[in-house]
Each structure stands twice: as C-alpha cells, then as structure tokens.
Amino acid sequence: MEFCSKKRKFAPDNFIGQQRKIILMRSLTQEEITLLSTNGCKVDDWSSIRVVDPFDAARVENVKFYGTVVLGSNAGTIEVVEGFEKPCGVRNTTLRNVVVGNDSLIEDTTLVANTIEEGDDLVIPVLNEAGDGNVMLYPGMSSQVVAMQMRYANDAQWVNAFRKLVKQSDNYCANCSFIGHHTCVVGAGKIINSHVGNYCYVGENVILEGCYVSESTTITNGFTAEHSIFLANTYMANGEACAAYCGPFSASHHKSSLLIGVDVSFYNAGSATNFSNHAYKMGPLHYGTLQRGTKTASGSHILLPAQVGPYSMCMGKIQSHPDTRQMPFSYLIASGEDTFLIPARGLLTVGLFRDVEKWPKRDKRPADDRPSHISHQWLSPYTVQAVQQGKADLETLLQGHPDSDTYRYHGCRIRRHSLLTGIKIYDLALRLVGNPEQKEEWTDLGGMLLPKREELQLVDDIKSGKLPSLNAVVARLDGLFEQYNQPTPFVPEVVKEWHDFIRMDAQKEYDLGDVDKEVLDAFLAKL
C-alpha cells in the first residue's frame, strides 16, 4: 500500500517539518528493530517504519504499527502538565498511517489512525452537518485557508483550483494523519482521520474523528468532536463539537456544552451552551455565525440559523433566528419566544476591556511558527463599519416610529430606552476613532481583518492561476497581514470618557460585595 494516493506519493526520504524545513528520514537499523521488539512493539513489516534522527528506540514501547508510520526525533522532553516533563516518544498505543513530528509524545492513547482509501481526499463537512465536504484537511493549514474553503465552497471553479494547489504541494498526503512537532497526546481515546498541529495538547479520553487541531490548541477532559476545526490557541474540555469551526481563541470548558454547526472565534462558551442545527424537518443542515468576541452565557440555547454581531453576549433560549451583524457590542437576551436586543451595551463593560487586553497576551504560539494570522484590533475598520450601520439602523427605526415603546429588528425586539442608549454608545465608539469615513467594506477572514476587495482579489487569483502554488497563496496572505494589521489610533479625550464608563462598571461589580479591593484597584490601574 502506498503511503499516499498514486496522484501524490509521500516522499520516501523526507517530509516538511516545522518552519517548512526538510527533515530527513531513514529506515530502522537492525539494532533498533531488536530493541523495539524487546519493548513490546509489533508490526508486520519493519520496513514500513521510518524515523528521524536523533531517534532513541528505547523511547518507543508497546506500540502496534499498521500501514506506514514516520516517527520524528524523540531525544527531547515535553511538558505534560505544568512543572512536569516526560521524555518524548511513543508508548502504549496503536498507530496506523501516521506521521509523528519531532519532540512529541503519544502515550496511553487507544488509537491514532488514518483510514482514508487510496486515491481519496480527506474532506469534511463544516457548518452544514448534512452537507457535502467543504474543507480539505492537510497539515500546516492556516485559519485563513480554512475560512476561504468554507466561504467559497459553492464556487466550483475556486474549489477545484485550490484543491489542485493543495495536491501539488510538498507533503500533501490524504491517507496519512499528522501529529505535529512539540505536541503531546496523552490518555486520549481515538484520533481518526485527523491532523493535530504543532505545540498542541490532546488529553484524557478525547475522541477526534475527521478534525483539524492546530497551533497551540488544547483539547482535553473527555471532549469529543467530529468534522470540526480548532485553531490557534483554542481550548476545549468536557463538551462536544460537530461540524463546528472554532477559530482563534475559542474556549469551551464545561460539560453539557455542544458546539454544532457554528462558526465562532475569540469565543467563550458558558456552561451548558447548546446550538440546535436540526428543525426536525429537512435534517441537521442549519448553521450560524457568532462573529469574533461573542460569548454565550450559561444555559444558552441558540436555534440555528442565527447571525450574531461582533463582541456580543447571548443569554437564554434564543429561537427567533436573529441577525445582528450590524449591531456589534450588543446583548441578546431571550424572554419566552422573543429575543430582546440591547444595542452597544457591551462597549461600556469591564468584560470587553479585559477580553481585548488578554487575547494577545495568551497567544502561546512561537513567534516563528504562526501559520494563522490574527488581528487583535477590536475597534477596527471591520467593527467600525458595523457600528456606523448599526447607529444608522437605530436612527431609522426611531424616525419611522418616534413614539413606539418597542421596535422590531431582524428577529429581535428593542425597547425604546435601549435604542436611545445604543445610539449614544455607538456615537461614543465613532468619536473614539475620530468619526472616520468608511470608504470600503472590510471582512474577517479566519481572524485576519482586511478589505473585502483584497479577499475577492485573492480568490480570483487562485481561480485564474495567477497564484500558481500553495506557497504563493501563503505569501499573499503574509503580505496582506503585514499591510493591514495596523493599530487603530484612538482620540485621547474620548478614551478618558470611555474609561469613565469602564470604571463605573467595575465599581458596580465591586459593590456586589465579593470582589477584593485589591482586585478592583489593580484593574482600575490599567485604565
């Protein structure tokens, strides 16, 4: 059996490693084969195993090998919990058609395997659980590439052109799974037809089937996932996911949380968060987007489809299929069958201030190994355009019904007081950045903010063949990030006004009585 399809055969003597360096492989020596056998390892054909120097066969114990397997250098150690390092290697597991990166550990894990048939590609359905596969998986894939695959899945010309570039790239292999460099897989259950990237941790009783995990992401404590994406500093524990796109800095810590058919990033799931993608009519085909920075409160239940604007908070059983993409920084609170929208309220909270400050500090990826580009600007041209439209929409509602007590807005109800306050807060946000004239539409492409025209040009250049390789696509993305990842200047006088509201919110929480004065003072000192 070939390690990859006949169309793209896995290079027999090397593979592309960290920072795209060529890593030379070799066959096992007779001495190593003897030691592996003594250590309880079993395989039908020892020539199907390749290794990377420096390799220590003593660090491979009780492993059953099937198909073709590559074992990276294992001379180092790796931290399995804070303050405790263990020797790298592979122990007490079964591997089938797997590449293990350098300085990694796989231990006490039931099975890591790839079962894709020769000639097939590893393509999974993300968002639409019942749909055709829309994301082709391959190691080293960035969040931008994943986002494009989801966004342009219905453009057959683009899909064919992009997948051709992937298949022509170095190291593409559909019927092998990759465990990245400096990655720890300890106590996991099954990892089937999945790629786990560099500096990741997959822990106790985790099950992954048809998933992509990358860039310092942690999946642990019995989390189970199918056909899902977990990118760049994401943390998942206890719950489950299906057909979910969990973009950079997504977090779900709690049991009974289900992320299904949803696109999130910079996201925090409260306990028992649930999404419903099945109306019990045409199947589990609905999906939705919670744009960057959105949170769901404990017990939240969102019936899809739904579109929630950036940096929002959702609470309760939201079943009205809201679309608040033009109402950033808002609260969506369910009450019976209604969803009440409180526009802009989150802009004045401690929570927003803490979130936008903490994310850059929590980027655990090495500076020289960051395939995904992440823009941390929170009041950027991307969100400013939504603020401008949201303020205009609120003013239009008020002008149309100046005496109304409540207003209808895309599946939501807005109380008059909330509408008037929202206009004022959005005005504050615009003054904070100098009331800019927004000349063009911006987009969030997998965590990277850029003008929409640049994204469309990238898509066209892939379709036309102007970008002749996957490396050329990566280089274009690198250039766009460097060009547009610029800080948004704030007006100092308005910053003071904004900070006054943040202080009031912090004081309000302190007045609840269970916050230490030292905690309050430490936070206020940051303003």
Side-chain angles (χ1 to χ4, degrees):
M1 174 181 175
E2 298 287 359
F3 196 23
C4 292
S5 69
K6 293 179 180 178
K7 296 181 180 179
R8 187 67 187 173
K9 184 178 178 181
F10 188 79
D13 297 312
N14 62 75
F15 70 94
I16 305 299
Q18 189 178 0
Q19 291 95 50
R20 300 198 61 75
K21 296 178 181 177
I22 298 294
I23 296 178
L24 299 180
M25 301 185 297
R26 63 169 175 81
S27 299
L28 292 166
T29 66
Q30 186 56 53
E31 181 180 359
E32 288 169 336
I33 291 172
T34 300
L35 181 53
L36 290 172
S37 298
T38 302
N39 287 347
C41 297
K42 297 181 180 180
V43 65
D44 289 337
D45 180 4
W46 289 106
S47 67
S48 66
I49 300 174
R50 311 282 283 179
V51 298
V52 177
D53 285 321
F55 174 75
D56 185 353
R59 295 185 172 197
V60 182
E61 303 175 78
N62 193 27
V63 180
K64 294 180 180 179
F65 297 99
Y66 296 87
T68 304
V69 174
V70 175
L71 301 178
S73 171
N74 61 6
T77 61
I78 191 168
E79 190 173 66
V80 292
V81 295
E82 186 174 357
F84 177 40
E85 293 189 353
K86 299 184 72 172
C88 297
V90 183
R91 297 182 278 275
N92 305 322
T93 189
T94 297
L95 304 180
R96 181 184 191 271
N97 293 346
V98 177
V99 174
V100 181
N102 294 333
D103 299 310
S104 293
L105 172 65
I106 303 177
E107 186 174 67
D108 300 328
T109 293
T110 304
L111 176 64
V112 183
N114 186 295
T115 62
I116 301 300
E117 294 294 330
E118 182 179 331
D120 291 339
D121 294 308
L122 179 50
V123 183
I124 64 171
V126 183
L127 298 186
N128 182 354
E129 182 189 357
D132 295 329
N134 57 351
V135 177
M136 174 184 279
L137 302 187
Y138 63 91
M141 183 169 56
S142 71
S143 58
Q144 283 69 54
V145 165
V146 177
M148 281 194 294
Q149 291 194 72
M150 294 191 304
R151 194 168 292 179
Y152 298 100
N154 293 325
D155 185 337
Q157 183 182 356
W158 184 87
V159 170
N160 291 335
F162 178 77
R163 292 183 181 179
K164 181 179 178 181
L165 296 183
V166 174
K167 294 178 183 181
Q168 291 174 343
S169 66
D170 295 329
N171 209 34
Y172 174 70
C173 182
N175 60 318
C176 64
S177 291
F178 282 72
I179 304 297
H181 305 291
H182 307 281
T183 285
C184 189
V185 180
V186 177
K190 298 183 296 182
I191 302 177
I192 309 297
N193 299 335
S194 300
H195 294 309
V196 180
N198 299 344
Y199 297 93
C200 293
Y201 180 89
V202 179
E204 298 75 12
N205 302 313
V206 167
I207 297 176
L208 301 174
E209 297 192 25
C211 293
Y212 184 77
V213 180
S214 80
E215 299 179 68
S216 299
T217 284
T218 294
I219 314 286
T220 192
N221 293 355
F223 194 87
T224 63
E226 180 182 17
H227 299 157
S228 295
I229 306 289
F230 306 98
L231 295 161
N233 300 292
T234 282
Y235 184 98
M236 296 283 146
N238 296 304
E240 57 183 309
C242 179
Y245 170 86
C246 299
F249 293 97
S250 295
S252 177
H253 293 252
H254 308 287
K255 295 181 180 180
S256 303
S257 290
L258 170 62
L259 309 181
I260 187 167
V262 67
D263 174 348
V264 298
S265 61
F266 299 90
Y267 167 71
N268 196 330
S271 61
T273 288
N274 201 341
F275 296 87
S276 292
N277 68 338
H278 201 313
Y280 300 100
K281 296 177 182 178
M282 299 180 67
L285 46 75
H286 298 291
Y287 54 91
T289 300
L290 276 59
Q291 293 184 340
R292 60 164 48 207
T294 293
K295 303 176 182 179
T296 47
S298 295
S300 294
H301 184 184
I302 301 178
L303 273 64
L304 303 174
Q307 302 290 332
V308 178
Y311 303 101
S312 296
M313 190 277 292
C314 302
M315 179 182 293
K317 185 174 182 178
I318 296 174
Q319 49 191 318
S320 59
H321 308 295
D323 184 348
T324 65
R325 284 174 288 183
Q326 305 304 327
M327 293 286 176
F329 309 106
S330 296
Y331 288 175
L332 287 80
I333 301 176
S335 178
E337 295 184 357
D338 290 325
T339 301
F340 282 89
L341 176 66
I342 306 177
R345 180 65 185 86
L347 191 71
L348 307 184
T349 64
V350 172
L352 175 70
F353 187 92
R354 290 184 65 249
D355 284 344
V356 299
E357 180 189 48
K358 75 185 180 185
W359 283 316
K361 296 178 181 178
R362 293 184 179 181
D363 195 335
K364 300 180 293 183
R365 302 173 300 163
D368 60 351
D369 190 14
R370 297 185 173 187
S372 296
H373 295 303
I374 301 176
S375 304
H376 288 286
Q377 298 86 348
W378 63 275
L379 198 52
S380 64
Y382 171 72
T383 44
V384 166
Q385 70 189 7
V387 168
Q388 291 173 327
Q389 187 60 57
K391 181 172 181 283
D393 288 351
L394 294 177
E395 291 171 339
T396 298
L397 289 173
L398 182 62
Q399 292 168 4
H401 303 278
D403 299 320
S404 180
D405 291 330
T406 60
Y407 301 83
R408 295 282 183 180
Y409 182 84
H410 298 302
C412 299
R413 296 180 65 186
I414 308 174
R415 291 190 172 94
R416 179 181 179 82
H417 174 74
S418 297
L419 184 145
L420 295 173
T421 302
I423 292 174
K424 294 178 182 178
I425 299 175
Y426 281 149
D427 181 70
L428 171 66
L430 295 175
R431 289 189 290 112
L432 193 59
V433 291
N435 282 303
E437 180 183 351
Q438 192 80 12
K439 297 180 180 180
E440 60 180 337
E441 181 183 358
W442 278 58
T443 185
D444 185 346
L445 183 64
M448 183 174 80
L449 305 178
L450 73 164
K452 183 70 173 181
R453 61 176 170 80
E454 295 280 18
E455 178 184 320
L456 295 176
Q457 186 63 59
L458 172 60
V459 169
D460 287 343
D461 288 348
I462 291 173
K463 288 198 293 187
S464 68
K466 185 175 181 179
L467 295 176
S469 67
L470 198 57
N471 287 342
V473 175
V474 172
R476 173 71 67 82
L477 289 167
D478 291 344
L480 290 172
F481 182 67
E482 183 176 356
Q483 180 178 357
Y484 293 108
N485 186 43
Q486 305 297 329
T488 303
F490 286 178
V491 177
E493 295 78 9
V494 186
V495 170
K496 183 180 182 302
E497 183 181 349
W498 175 53
H499 282 181
D500 287 341
F501 285 106
I502 303 297
R503 286 189 183 90
M504 291 171 57
D505 193 52
Q507 184 65 48
K508 182 179 179 181
E509 185 168 8
Y510 173 74
D511 291 341
L512 294 174
D514 59 351
V515 177
D516 293 337
K517 185 65 162 58
E518 292 78 8
V519 174
L520 174 66
D521 291 342
F523 173 77
L524 294 179
K526 298 178 182 179
L527 299 176

